[in-house]
């Protein structure tokens, strides 16, 4: 399939547990997500504009925190479905539709987001395996960006 191998998927799912398990506080998902969006906006200041509806102008607002948690929750579900390519595909198609209709969202921003994730995750994941993560995250990000 176009997704990562089962071996890569299992490794990524296990390593993701370190940051996403219920006992890793929900808070770490928010602070991790905030770090991702801060970095994304530093690299692509224009990307800020597409999040006006969710109060990005006040980065720490409940509205933008809620947006970040939708994104992180989405990523969490996608990663946990890496071993089920048919369901994963349906989730990605659905997310692709939700992103295609958002004015100003670009494929380039998704490439940046992939780089930010691969660059940031080693700071919070022990024994981070860059190849497995890249093999698994690239088709996920490409899948969400497919309609752009
Ligand atoms: C909304 C997931 C990356 C732009 C959303 C939503 C989810 C999500 C679950 C809520 C869908 C809805 O309720 O309509 C993800 C995931 C990403 C990702 C898992 C990658 C890991 C990006 C990137 C951009 C982007 C790179 C563009 C810079 C948006 C916009 C919205 C949105 C503009 C709508 C915000 C609003 O409610 O007004 N995303 N996203 N997303 N996403 Fe993404």
């Amino acid at each position: 399939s176009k997704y990562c191998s089962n071996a890569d998927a299992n490794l990524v799912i296990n390593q993701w547990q370190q940051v996403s398990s219920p006992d890793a506080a929900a808070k770490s998902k928010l602070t991790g997500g905030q770090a991702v969006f801060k970095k994304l906006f530093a690299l692509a200041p224009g990307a800020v504009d597409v999040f006006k509806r969710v109060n990005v102008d006040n980065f720490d607002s409940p509205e933008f925190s809620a947006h970040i948690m939708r994104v992180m929750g989405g990523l969490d579900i996608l990663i946990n479905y890496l071993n089920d390519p048919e369901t994963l595909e349906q989730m990605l198609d659905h997310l692709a539709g939700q992103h295609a209709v958002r004015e100003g969202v670009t494929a380039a921003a998704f490439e940046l987001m992939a780089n930010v994730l691969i660059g940031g995750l080693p700071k919070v994941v022990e024994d981070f395996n860059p190849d497995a993560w890249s093999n698994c995250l690239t088709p996920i990000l490409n899948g969400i960006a497919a309609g752009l």
Side-chain angles (χ1 to χ4, degrees), residues 40 47 50-51 53-54 67 70-71 74-75 78 95 98-99 102 105-106 109-110 113 117 141 144:
L40 185 70
V50 304
F51 300 107
R53 203 184 74 95
V54 284
H67 168 74
R70 283 191 289 280
V71 174
L75 186 60
L78 295 166
L95 279 167
Q98 286 178 319
H99 285 81
R102 302 288 183 181
V105 175
T106 63
F110 277 83
M113 180 103 156
L117 285 170
L141 275 285
I144 306 173

Side-chain angles (χ1 to χ4, degrees), residues 69-90:
M69 290 310 286
R70 283 191 289 280
V71 174
M72 296 303 281
L75 186 60
D76 183 40
I77 295 169
L78 295 166
I79 287 174
N80 280 298
Y81 270 87
L82 279 167
N83 275 322
D84 180 352
E86 287 175 7
T87 310
L88 180 61
E89 178 108 341
Q90 295 307 313

